[in-house]
Amino acid sequence: LEWHCAEYPVSMNDLVAAHEPFYVEAILKLCNMCETGIFPKLSLDPPHNDITISKGTKSAILFAAGAVISAVSAVMRGSARNAFCAVRPPGHHACKVKPNGFCFFNNVAIGAIYARRKYKLDRIAVVDFDMHHGSGTQEILRNDSSFMYISVHREDIFPKSSTQYHSSWNVVNIPVTNATEFVESSKRITKHLAKFQPQIVLVSAGFDGHNSDLKKSSLQLSEMDYDLVTKSILRVAATSCEGRVISVLEGGYNAAGLASCCASHVRTLMDKDIATVTARMEKVNDSCDGSNGSDSASSNATATAVDTKKESGIKTA
C-alpha cells in the first residue's frame, strides 16, 4: 500500500469539462470571498446549510478533484493497479450548474471525463454504491456513449432523482431497501459491466448505508456487504481492463464506521487473489472455447491511497 497526496489542484479545463464555466467561476468567486475574509461563512442552501463555504473550502474542493485526476493518471500509466481516493468534500450530487448534498464539484465525473480526454478511452464505467443516488453524476454522464453509470441506492430518500432519466440508455439504477438486496445487486452490476466491457472503472464509494450511520435511513450494511459488491466490480475489471479501478470516497458520516469501511474497502482493492482467480477462470473458459487465455491481469495488484492532504486523510491500512 502506498500513500500519495494530490500534487496539483484540478485545472480549470477539467472543471469546465464537467460543469458549466459560469458555475465554476461563481463557486470559486464565492470561495475567494471567504478566503479573503469578506464573509466568514456562506451558506448556498439556507436554512439546511448542507452547502456551506468557509475559509479552506476552495483548497479542499480543488484538491479533491485533483486527487481523482492523479489517481486516474497513476493507474493509466501503470504505476498503480488501482487506487482509493480519500477525499472530502464528496462530489456525486454536484450537477452541471448546481451544488447539492455537500457537493460542489463532481469528482468522479471530472475523473471519468479526464480519462476520456487524456487517454482516449471510450468505454468508461462509473459504479456508485452510496446510499443516496448520484444525481449529479447521472446528469453529467447520461446519454453519452463513452460512459455507463450504475447506481445502487435507496430511492425513497434524498435526492429522489433516479427516476428522472430512466430513458437514458447508459444509466442503470438499482433501488434497494435492505442489505440482502444490496448484495444481490452485485449480479446486475456484473451483468451490465460485462456487457459494456469498460476500459477503466470508477467507483463512487459511499459508506453511509453502514449499520453505524444515519440510523433512520440506513440500509444496515456491514463491511462484508460492501466488500462483496466491490469484489464483483474487481472481477469484471480484471478481465475487461486489467483491473484498472479508481474508487472515490463519497458519503459516510460516522467517523468510526467510515474508518472501518474504508480500511476494509482498501484491503479488498489490494486483494491479489481476486485478479489471480478471475484470470485463471478466464483462461480456463478460453481454453474450453479453443483459444489461449491470458493471466496478465494478476501481475500487479498495487493499491494506492490518494488524498488531498496527508493530515486530513483517513489512514485506512
Side-chain angles (χ1 to χ4, degrees), residues 95-303:
C95 298
K96 291 180 181 179
V97 297
K98 180 184 177 183
N100 202 10
F102 309 122
C103 305
F104 295 89
F105 297 139
N106 197 306
N107 304 319
V108 162
I110 289 168
I113 295 170
Y114 172 80
R116 176 174 64 180
R117 178 183 65 79
K118 178 69 175 179
Y119 298 100
K120 311 304 180 185
L121 305 182
D122 58 11
R123 295 191 311 279
I124 302 161
V126 176
V127 181
D128 187 335
F129 58 66
D130 189 281
M131 186 172 67
H132 301 87
H133 180 247
S135 48
T137 309
Q138 177 174 273
E139 183 201 65
I140 293 169
L141 301 183
R142 71 186 183 96
N143 292 331
D144 190 317
S145 61
S146 298
F147 306 108
M148 169 167 280
Y149 176 64
I150 303 174
S151 176
V152 182
H153 57 273
R154 280 194 62 166
E155 178 55 38
D156 58 339
I157 59 174
F158 173 88
K160 299 182 180 181
S161 53
S162 68
T163 58
Q164 293 179 12
Y165 306 116
H166 272 195
S167 60
S168 301
W169 71 268
N170 65 328
V171 170
V172 180
N173 285 309
I174 310 174
V176 297
T177 59
N178 54 54
T180 299
E181 292 178 1
F182 180 84
V183 173
E184 284 294 312
S185 73
S186 63
K187 296 177 182 178
R188 292 181 62 184
I189 293 171
T190 299
K191 174 185 175 182
H192 288 287
L193 287 180
K195 184 177 181 180
F196 187 62
Q197 286 293 292
Q199 297 158 312
I200 193 170
V201 180
L202 285 86
V203 178
S204 275
F207 299 106
D208 45 4
H210 187 255
N211 55 35
S212 67
D213 212 328
L214 299 174
K215 295 294 186 180
K216 292 184 179 180
S217 57
S218 173
L219 292 169
Q220 296 298 303
L221 302 177
S222 68
E223 288 85 344
M224 183 178 294
D225 295 329
Y226 285 115
D227 292 345
L228 288 170
V229 172
T230 301
K231 286 177 182 179
S232 70
I233 297 168
L234 293 175
R235 290 190 185 100
V236 178
T239 60
S240 72
C241 56
E242 299 181 332
R244 290 191 288 267
V245 174
I246 292 94
S247 181
V248 182
L249 182 61
E250 298 286 359
Y253 309 101
N254 178 283
L258 179 59
S260 180
C261 286
C262 287
S264 185
H265 183 63
V266 169
R267 282 193 293 268
T268 301
L269 290 173
M270 294 173 64
D271 190 348
K272 298 179 182 180
D273 291 338
I274 295 174
T276 302
V277 171
T278 302
R280 286 175 179 170
M281 290 174 63
E282 190 74 8
K283 188 173 182 179
V284 169
N285 291 336
D286 287 345
S287 297
C288 292
D289 292 336
S291 59
N292 293 323
S294 172
D295 199 30
S296 61
S298 64
S299 61
N300 179 16
T302 302

Side-chain angles (χ1 to χ4, degrees), residues 35-58:
E35 290 292 328
T36 57
I38 295 177
F39 298 108
K41 186 180 291 186
L42 282 173
S43 175
L44 304 187
D45 64 336
H48 305 292
N49 300 323
D50 289 343
I51 309 294
T52 300
I53 297 174
S54 60
K55 188 174 184 179
T57 296
K58 181 178 180 179

